[in-house]
Amino acid sequence: MYHKEKSIQIKNSASALYNNLGVLRIAPRRLTYFTVVHANVVNMVSASWDGLNYSHRQLQSKEPNVATSTSLIMQAAFCALPSRDLLVVTSQKGIQIYESDGSIMVYWHALDTPETPTAQAVFARGISAVRENYICVGISSGAILVFDVPSKGSNITLSEVLEEHKESITDMAAECSGSQECIADLVSADDGGNLCVWKSGEEFQLLNNIPGFDMSCSSVKLWKGTVVAGYGTGQIRLYEAVTGILHAEVKAHARWIYSLDIAPFSGLLLSAAEDSLVRVWHLSMTPETNSVEVAHLHNECVTDTQICGAKFCDGDGYAFAVTGYDLSEIIRYTQT
Amino acid sequence: MSSRTLPLLFINLGGEMLYILDQRLRAQNIPADKAKKVMNDIITTMFNKKFLEELFKPQELYSKKALRTVFDRLAHASIMRLNQASMDKLYDLMTMAFKYQVLLCPRPKDILLVSFNHMDAIKDFVKDTPSILSQVDETYRQLIEMYTPLSSGEFQLIRQTLLIFFQDMHIRVSIFLKDKVQNSNGRFVLPTSGPVPHGTQVPGLIRMFSCTGEEVTRLQFNNGGNYTAAIREGSFEIFGDRVTKLGTNMYSVSRPVETHMSGTSKNSAQHAKVSAAPNPLAKEELNLLAKLMGGLEVQKPGNADSGFRVNLFATDEEEEEALISRPDELSYGVINIQATKDQQVNAELAKIMGEFTESGDQSPSASSKGDDLLAMMDGL
């Protein structure tokens, strides 16, 4: 179903972090941007579709006015809003927002880091663009920061702090089907496996709280009102977002799941784990019976590699890319 | 990232160090009483109360340089001496072994079982010495108190922090190559077969439910591997069967311990660049070192009869050659503390340490004391 293409070499190896691959497709310029985190550096590659041009850039998690701080980066992700694309980088010290090519930092938000380290780690993790103008970022305390983003310029403001989760946020995802009918706009996941479903607005509204089972949910997606969640046990669960009804449960992987992605136009689902496997599934909704079906389509094994990032490169799922711990390349696969 | 990583890193690396030294002491036919003294001295220093107090405080992981310096000092806590090449090799083996154990742990929580395997072996080394034994027991209690309440996600954060520390290390270890757990490119073999972790089920099943919660369909799929059901869970108590073999002594069957330097420099160079920037954390690191050195007995100078040198290579020539041919990128940039200057250094440090503990409030005065320590280290 898929075959391996030429890999893209990156300057550093990928660190073992959840959802450690960012992809942004820029159709007008026939380019795709990729981001891979290595310790305190974000490796950015811009790849032309004809496979002939690659340009690299590295971003460091440097806080303004602090000369010698080193802060480990937890995640780097693209936020595609209708008016603009931005790159969000979260670390132990705070949140940095850049123009999508990484050229200019437009906003910096510092976290409240204590003078002496506490037993509970402090960091930001979990990034999602929501609707027209919001970017949401999760914090280790369980709080979610909601930023209001203007259509251009750097006047980004902190609009709200959502305090519902009691454990560290792991991942967040916005409804990606493009449908305006879906009530739920955002799902957030935490280290206890708890899922919160939100409606965006001037004040975000909590629609549902789906309890976990004491196992971290490391990656989450929201598509056509269905939450798709990947857990440390290797399980994938599909819930109806607003009601919390369990649609399906998949014994998907033999180790901790690190990344999920959905191709919104085709309903293809990608899952990747520490067990070296990337799996492709197909989701189909039957609104009449309010049921969701999951079918397994394909496996790819990245030998001797614990995968930490996997994303589709386009909305149909025609191609996907994978990163692994200690690997200095982005591996790509295309449909045959 | 996780502020609870350092104790696990230290104890597991220390455990590996003891396995290797124990094997080398036997291989070099060091008299039993001297060998025992070395092991006891090192273990006593490792579990020094003040040092452990410092270690268990919430803090970021130390730099490779600082940690290497701590282990240099630890290895010289007794009458045994190691040349730089042997110390480099010892540290390479220790770190690659623990990297292997961290990667192969089925669940992040299993890193605690690996730590208990090391602790169990250390306890066995000192079972005839009650005073050290009680220090070791106390450490078990601290580990249990700190780590058993942690969630799966918090353990994964610890694991991720450790993996950043070990990033890009691909030194080939002879035992690993022979056992086929490491490839010739230095990367570890990750099998897609065997038992799944405790709490996970064998992949291959899709279950779909109706709105009322009844299972409607079951579908099986090919999981691409050869997995079996999980085995029983290991014990997280002071005594018990840990079940996992990770963290047990792989050197007990006398096998030579070689490392291969060639073909490993490519990725290590990139990592070395990242840690080159000056780091204010260096003062906390030296604080730890001071506590460690403060706990050491001053070795009487001129007692040349009891001292001896251990070589991690087969011959002195090999050791010499290893030092010359070691790639620059793999040097640890160790703060070189000459054994002969210990007495004076210890006295200075003890004085500074005394000032630390008396004042209690460390923040404003620590920076100047830290500078004293830094200056002293640089001057050695």
Side-chain angles (χ1 to χ4, degrees):
Chain A
M1 188 183 174
Y2 286 89
H3 64 269
K4 197 160 168 234
E5 294 271 17
K6 186 158 162 265
S7 294
I8 303 174
Q9 298 303 315
I10 43 178
K11 300 289 183 195
N12 301 112
S13 56
S15 288
L17 298 162
Y18 303 142
N19 308 300
N20 191 4
L21 175 63
V23 179
L24 184 68
R25 194 166 187 266
I26 307 190
R29 293 169 57 203
R30 303 184 63 78
L31 285 178
T32 304
Y33 291 155
F34 296 91
T35 57
V36 182
V37 177
H38 169 99
N40 62 337
V41 169
V42 179
N43 290 295
M44 282 192 72
V45 184
S46 162
S48 62
W49 290 1
D50 58 16
L52 297 176
N53 290 304
Y54 296 99
S55 69
H56 299 259
R57 169 175 259 146
Q58 288 188 317
L59 300 173
Q60 290 227 333
S61 65
K62 256 206 300 275
E63 290 66 54
N65 308 320
V66 187
T68 57
S69 66
T70 52
S71 161
L72 293 172
I73 298 175
M74 304 300 291
Q75 194 179 4
F78 289 104
C79 287
L81 293 166
S83 54
R84 66 202 291 197
D85 295 327
L86 293 167
L87 171 64
V88 179
V89 177
T90 57
S91 69
Q92 293 177 280
K93 292 275 164 67
I95 301 158
Q96 294 161 290
I97 303 183
Y98 293 85
E99 294 295 354
S100 61
D101 62 358
S103 56
I104 311 164
M105 176 160 36
V106 295
Y107 184 72
W108 155 250
H109 175 95
L111 292 178
D112 289 323
T113 34
E115 276 282 323
T116 45
T118 50
Q120 159 84 9
V122 176
F123 55 84
R125 179 177 62 186
I127 302 166
S128 185
V130 185
R131 287 288 174 209
E132 272 72 49
N133 56 315
Y134 296 110
I135 287 180
C136 295
V137 179
I139 308 286
S140 44
S141 61
I144 295 170
L145 305 180
V146 181
F147 295 98
D148 196 316
V149 182
S151 56
K152 55 177 185 259
S154 54
N155 191 22
I156 296 172
T157 53
L158 177 63
S159 150
E160 211 184 339
V161 179
L162 308 174
E163 276 164 346
E164 189 67 32
H165 290 273
K166 303 283 178 290
E167 297 179 67
S168 299
I169 303 292
T170 46
D171 192 22
M172 299 208 289
E175 171 59 61
C176 62
S177 65
S179 160
Q180 294 299 320
E181 289 167 15
C182 298
I183 314 165
D185 293 324
L186 175 73
V187 63
S188 52
D190 69 25
D191 256 344
N194 303 301
L195 303 164
C196 287
V197 180
W198 309 86
K199 178 165 182 50
S200 67
E202 265 190 42
E203 274 179 27
F204 272 52
Q205 194 194 334
L206 178 70
L207 296 176
N208 196 9
N209 188 328
I210 305 172
F213 46 105
D214 253 341
M215 173 49 63
S216 185
C217 169
S218 37
S219 197
V220 76
K221 291 248 95 63
L222 181 59
W223 183 65
K224 292 190 174 173
T226 302
V227 172
V228 185
Y231 298 85
T233 48
Q235 236 187 40
I236 294 175
R237 292 177 155 211
L238 280 78
Y239 291 98
E240 183 177 74
V242 175
T243 60
I245 292 172
L246 179 66
H247 283 306
E249 181 191 275
V250 186
K251 298 185 175 47
H253 286 275
R255 293 281 189 281
W256 203 286
I257 291 176
Y258 260 64
S259 193
L260 293 178
D261 197 25
I262 290 183
F265 306 150
S266 58
L268 288 179
L269 168 69
L270 195 65
S271 68
E274 284 176 357
D275 63 1
S276 307
L277 284 152
V278 184
R279 302 196 198 276
V280 185
W281 319 78
H282 185 245
L283 304 181
S284 46
M285 313 279 169
T286 319
E288 295 81 46
T289 52
N290 193 21
S291 66
V292 178
E293 274 166 32
V294 185
H296 173 256
L297 297 182
H298 184 73
N299 295 328
E300 281 293 339
C301 181
V302 186
T303 314
D304 299 334
T305 304
Q306 298 199 341
I307 302 173
C308 51
K311 281 226 156 52
F312 285 115
C313 298
D314 57 272
D316 289 297
Y318 177 72
F320 65 87
V322 172
T323 57
Y325 170 66
D326 256 357
L327 226 55
S328 300
E329 57 186 290
I330 300 170
I331 308 174
R332 290 188 295 178
Y333 300 87
T334 329
Q335 271 186 26
T336 327
Chain B
M1 297 201 344
S2 175
S3 56
R4 289 184 265 234
T5 315
L6 193 58
L8 294 181
L9 183 61
F10 178 76
I11 286 168
N12 285 290
L13 286 180
E16 286 299 317
M17 183 173 87
L18 290 166
Y19 290 156
I20 297 163
L21 289 178
D22 177 60
Q23 197 263 355
R24 292 312 292 165
L25 290 167
R26 281 175 218 276
Q28 274 183 235
N29 294 311
I30 302 294
D33 61 325
K34 284 195 181 180
K36 195 142 183 78
K37 177 164 169 53
V38 170
M39 297 295 282
N40 282 356
D41 285 350
I42 293 176
I43 294 171
T44 306
T45 312
M46 260 182 83
F47 293 95
N48 169 275
K49 190 157 187 275
K50 279 218 179 314
F51 177 69
L52 285 179
E53 252 171 45
E54 191 63 38
L55 194 74
F56 273 82
K57 280 189 193 151
Q59 59 199 314
E60 292 295 313
L61 256 198
Y62 289 2
S63 64
K64 282 200 165 77
K65 177 173 166 174
L67 204 67
R68 166 60 199 266
T69 308
V70 169
F71 280 103
D72 249 15
R73 206 60 201 87
L74 198 56
H76 288 96
S78 185
I79 53 179
M80 178 189 73
R81 295 284 162 255
L82 291 166
N83 284 344
Q84 168 128 2
S86 280
M87 192 63 222
D88 283 344
K89 178 170 167 178
L90 173 63
Y91 197 70
D92 287 344
L93 291 171
M94 284 157 56
T95 43
M96 287 309 286
F98 190 40
K99 179 174 183 176
Y100 170 71
Q101 289 150 17
V102 171
L103 265 175
L104 270 289
C105 267
R107 300 172 304 175
K109 191 174 181 180
D110 294 337
I111 292 177
L112 195 51
L113 291 174
V114 172
S115 313
F116 284 136
N117 270 330
H118 282 117
M119 289 290 293
D120 292 344
I122 291 170
K123 193 163 167 174
D124 192 60
F125 282 132
V126 296
K127 61 178 183 281
D128 301 326
T129 322
S131 56
I132 316 172
L133 202 54
S134 64
Q135 285 175 261
V136 176
D137 279 338
E138 179 52 34
T139 311
Y140 269 106
R141 277 187 281 275
Q142 281 185 286
L143 284 172
I144 289 171
E145 191 186 309
M146 181 178 246
Y147 293 102
T148 45
L150 295 186
S151 69
S152 63
E154 285 169 305
F155 269 110
Q156 182 63 280
L157 189 68
I158 289 173
R159 183 172 176 279
Q160 290 175 342
T161 311
L162 287 169
L163 288 177
I164 289 183
F165 185 82
F166 292 126
Q167 192 117 18
D168 301 322
M169 293 188 65
H170 302 296
I171 298 165
R172 283 141 45 201
V173 176
S174 174
I175 271 185
F176 289 142
L177 294 170
K178 284 206 182 84
D179 290 347
K180 302 218 185 305
V181 299
Q182 189 180 29
N183 296 318
S184 54
N185 61 5
R187 290 165 189 274
F188 291 117
V189 174
L190 301 180
T192 53
S193 57
V196 290
H198 196 264
T200 294
Q201 292 168 308
V202 176
L205 185 65
I206 303 169
R207 300 170 70 201
M208 288 173 277
F209 305 95
S210 70
C211 306
T212 52
E214 286 155 39
E215 188 186 292
V216 171
T217 326
R218 283 196 156 214
L219 289 177
Q220 295 205 301
F221 66 91
N222 173 21
N223 64 27
N226 191 8
Y227 301 107
T228 52
I231 50 182
R232 70 192 188 287
E233 198 182 19
S235 162
F236 289 95
E237 317 212 343
I238 297 187
F239 300 102
D241 178 8
R242 313 299 177 189
V243 178
T244 180
K245 293 283 159 273
L246 296 170
T248 55
N249 194 344
M250 60 180 170
Y251 302 104
S252 41
V253 179
S254 235
R255 296 191 266 185
V257 285
E258 298 146 38
T259 51
H260 300 260
M261 289 293 114
S262 60
T264 54
S265 51
K266 239 191 318 179
N267 290 316
S268 311
Q270 291 152 355
H271 196 62
K273 264 187 254 159
V274 176
S275 50
N279 187 344
L281 277 183
K283 288 177 190 130
E284 274 91 334
E285 294 165 346
L286 286 163
N287 196 356
L288 186 78
L289 192 62
K291 296 275 165 78
L292 178 69
M293 290 169 77
L296 284 171
E297 279 176 25
V298 177
Q299 294 299 326
K300 273 186 280 195
N303 196 356
D305 289 343
S306 56
F308 60 92
R309 193 169 66 79
V310 163
N311 187 349
L312 255 76
F313 297 84
T315 62
D316 286 351
E317 288 73 35
E318 249 190 73
E319 190 186 45
E320 179 77 39
E321 178 56 40
L323 182 66
I324 298 165
S325 63
R326 189 176 181 88
D328 281 336
E329 313 85 74
L330 291 179
S331 81
Y332 290 103
V334 174
I335 300 162
N336 220 327
I337 300 165
Q338 295 298 321
T340 49
K341 292 186 190 165
D342 279 356
Q343 203 175 12
Q344 181 196 352
V345 167
N346 268 352
E348 269 284 5
L349 276 175
K351 177 167 160 283
I352 292 171
M353 250 194 59
E355 288 168 273
F356 266 130
T357 47
E358 266 157 41
S359 67
D361 164 30
Q362 294 202 11
S363 332
S365 51
S367 49
S368 55
K369 296 297 187 310
D371 287 333
D372 288 336
L373 275 173
L374 266 170
M376 213 170 51
M377 291 298 139
D378 287 345
L380 287 171

